Amino acid sequence: MNHLNVNSDSSFLQLPESLTTSPSQSTFMAEEDASICPLLHNTSSPQLQLNLDYNHPLTPSTGNTDIADDQVENDDTSSSSSGIGMGITGLGTNYHHLHKNGDIHHQENGNAKKKKHGNIDYDYLNALNIPLTKDMPGFVKWNWPLIRKATFFVFLSGIFAMCAIIVAMIYNLPRVCTPEMPWFRGRVFYEIFPASFKDSDGSSVGDLRGLADKVSYFQNLSIGAIRLNSIFEAKNYPEDYKNIDSLMNISKELGTLEDMKFLVSELHSKNISLILDLPLYPFYQRLEPSTIENMTRNANKMNSDEYRRRIERSIIDNNGITNVMRFWLAHGIDGFYLKGLENFAEDEYLMENMREWKYVLGNDRVMIVNETLINAVSDDIADEILQSIDLVDVFLDITNGTQSIEHKVISTLNGKLKPSENGPWIHWSLNGIEKRRMATAINANASLAGLLMELMLPGTPNIFYGDELSMGNVHDPLNEHAETKHLHHLPTMPFTDQSIKFTNQQIIPWLPKAAHFSYEHLNYVKEACALRKITPALFMNAINKDDNSIHGNTHIRANKDDLLIIERTYPRRHTMVSITNLGSVELSLDISGLYYSGELVLGPAKRSKVFFNNFRIGALETIIVKLDK
């Protein structure tokens, strides 16, 4: 190392004697010597004396023969330490020793004993100079390890429970978000002539029990309410169903009041309402004065409770139409179609009675009238009537071409029945108990096309039983039922399940089945009803703006007498368009000026892409397209 100019004299590398001598002769200053064991108490205990040996890290350890034999042996960790060793030696035979687990043991003559009482280590408390008194709090004796474990598992259980609740809430969220509507607005009604629907007792005439057996059929068709017409006692029911004897008695051919209660219960269990047609005229020739109207003039002389009690008592005592309504409402009926009320358009008690009837019905039950009543009275009276009713029946004739349909729909939506927030809705009808079947008037395909078109209109569409099958008039080639020819538009119902007959096979129905019907058409109607049920653009009749203004959501266009386009919109939803061809030939046209493309949701090639620059539609066909946004 001489070439590095380092002095190689052995005296130069010799360490000072003070660093190689015994550790007891420390060369550190007083402050340094006191700081090498900062964790030890700086005062002497009367029961414990410390003897500290220090080995300098540069000095080989020479050991200490004075350390007791039970000194803590160095483990692998301590052997790799910096070389600083500590020894604690007591003057007597008793000393405390700190183990790895934190316990302090009491050592007597080399025998370790651990004093505890319950969960309390008294030696540990003594070492911490904590006095044990009778006033020691009770929680000291608690099993704290068990408490910590229980608290931990309770905490985890709470976390898991909250996660499960959140997952369940997410799972139960509605698949679609639709506006809440009263049950009679926008839903599909189904009108039935009970004598021709289903016979349950083999009498050859349909009955109420037969209707109850087919509730699942109504549910699968997405029906919201059933309308029963002509159920009342008559001299020769059902052939002479119009000549009724009472509005409170059911025809014995249909069943009893108990059968009606059973039917109501079955329908309500499927969230389907029941409405009765009340044929007021000619059963009633005039209207009676309203008891409510008479007391209204003196209402200021009575307090509200007394006024209401007198109204209720007077209504019960009334033997007229009001009493009929109360009777059926008590048996679960959800509303009435007041047929023939237009014959009382000039009656002086019309408005009094209508207010009374609506008072009895309340807001959850409906009152339906025909549009002829609205057209037969003055505008002022019409406005008052519209405040008391919920639905207005409007007949839509599809036999006169598409331009006639367009004119009827537009004039209705822009006239007295214009959509409003609190006004009545339109109850559309294409057929009825006094109308000829569309399938017979035109053909079966026209019946289906017209029904699908009706289901696209704003309001509450009505299906006459059998129209979902495009059912025609009675098949009577040999003229064997000539005496009931005025009822041939009311054939018995053919069900899709061939094992289910209208009546027993040994019994001949009171009327034969229809000349033609199509089970294939039923599938299209089911899909259209289900689509309407979940699509706000279809079941809403208008758009309510934030400024409380009402705007129509229907646009209708007709081309000559064959093509009809109905467009239905709703904010933030897909626009739905139905295109109907009531002509006898297939049409190929370019309507890309109105629409570009969309998805066919109901038609012969469902779910296919549609482009309107070269659009084709068959004769007597209706298709429904969801437009691309």
Side-chain angles (χ1 to χ4, degrees), residues 74-318:
N74 290 334
D75 55 13
D76 295 338
T77 305
S78 62
S79 64
S80 60
S81 62
S82 62
I84 299 176
M86 291 185 182
I88 302 177
T89 305
L91 296 178
T93 60
N94 299 334
Y95 65 90
H96 293 83
H97 180 66
L98 181 64
H99 283 266
K100 293 180 181 179
N101 59 3
D103 293 339
I104 297 179
H105 290 257
H106 186 71
Q107 186 91 3
E108 292 184 3
N109 299 324
N111 296 323
K113 293 184 180 180
K114 189 173 182 180
K115 294 183 179 180
K116 283 190 177 182
H117 180 72
N119 295 317
I120 305 175
D121 191 334
Y122 289 103
D123 287 339
Y124 181 70
L125 296 178
N126 289 334
L128 298 178
N129 294 327
I130 298 177
L132 301 177
T133 66
K134 294 181 179 180
D135 297 332
M136 180 71 68
F139 65 82
V140 175
K141 300 180 180 181
W142 292 357
N143 192 340
W144 287 104
L146 179 62
I147 292 174
R148 287 193 298 270
K149 292 179 180 179
T151 304
F152 175 73
F153 286 114
V154 169
F155 173 75
L156 287 183
S157 300
I159 294 295
F160 291 145
M162 287 187 291
C163 292
I165 292 173
I166 294 173
V167 171
M169 292 175 63
I170 295 175
Y171 179 79
N172 292 323
L173 286 175
R175 299 297 182 268
V176 293
C177 182
T178 58
E180 291 291 335
M181 297 295 295
W183 63 267
F184 54 88
R185 290 186 171 183
R187 300 293 300 278
V188 180
F189 283 20
Y190 192 81
E191 182 182 354
I192 298 175
F193 183 67
S196 294
F197 196 76
K198 182 69 173 69
D199 174 27
S200 66
D201 57 5
S203 64
S204 78
V205 177
D207 49 50
L208 299 179
R209 288 282 176 174
L211 288 172
D213 292 340
K214 302 304 295 180
V215 170
S216 59
Y217 178 80
F218 308 139
Q219 185 182 29
N220 292 335
L221 200 54
S222 300
I223 298 300
I226 298 296
R227 260 188 61 197
L228 293 184
N229 50 41
S230 306
I231 69 167
F232 301 109
E233 187 179 43
K235 292 181 175 61
N236 187 21
Y237 187 91
E239 288 82 357
D240 193 15
Y241 67 88
K242 293 183 180 181
N243 190 16
I244 62 176
D245 295 330
S246 171
L247 287 178
M248 293 188 183
N249 296 326
I250 301 173
S251 173
K252 62 181 182 298
E253 286 80 6
L254 296 179
T256 64
L257 191 59
E258 291 301 320
D259 295 330
M260 176 63 77
K261 292 180 180 178
F262 179 73
L263 174 60
V264 170
S265 175
E266 289 294 301
L267 289 173
H268 286 179
S269 67
K270 303 299 184 181
N271 198 27
I272 302 174
S273 303
L274 182 61
I275 298 173
L276 290 184
D277 285 10
L278 290 182
L280 302 183
Y281 187 87
F283 188 77
Y284 288 100
Q285 298 293 326
R286 60 182 179 84
L287 299 177
E288 300 175 358
S290 169
T291 53
I292 292 180
E293 190 69 20
N294 292 336
M295 279 188 291
T296 302
R297 302 186 183 97
N298 299 318
N300 56 351
K301 299 179 182 180
M302 299 175 287
N303 60 49
S304 58
D305 293 337
E306 181 184 357
Y307 177 59
R308 183 173 182 83
R309 284 195 298 270
R310 289 185 60 181
I311 289 178
E312 294 290 340
R313 186 165 55 251
S314 298
I315 292 176
I316 293 175
D317 294 338
N318 184 14

Side-chain angles (χ1 to χ4, degrees), residues 415-489:
K416 298 176 182 178
L417 299 180
K418 183 178 180 179
S420 62
E421 184 175 0
N422 299 317
W425 280 38
I426 301 171
H427 176 273
W428 299 101
S429 296
L430 300 183
N431 210 340
I433 195 172
E434 297 179 355
K435 305 293 184 181
R436 188 170 60 156
R437 293 277 176 176
M438 293 184 295
T440 299
I442 309 177
N443 64 34
N445 290 334
S447 178
L448 175 63
L451 183 56
L452 296 179
M453 179 272 299
E454 179 198 14
L455 293 173
M456 287 289 294
L457 293 175
T460 300
N462 180 69
I463 299 176
F464 191 57
Y465 86 99
D467 280 355
E468 71 274 19
L469 300 172
S470 300
M471 190 169 67
N473 283 5
V474 164
H475 180 61
D476 187 24
L478 301 178
N479 202 25
E480 296 176 342
H481 297 270
E483 71 281 2
T484 58
K485 196 167 186 176
H486 63 291
L487 302 174
H488 281 193
H489 60 291

Side-chain angles (χ1 to χ4, degrees), residues 315-336:
I315 292 176
I316 293 175
D317 294 338
N318 184 14
N319 293 322
I321 300 173
T322 304
N323 205 28
V324 171
M325 290 184 177
R326 291 180 64 90
F327 174 80
W328 289 112
L329 291 176
H331 291 87
I333 301 302
D334 300 296
F336 304 97

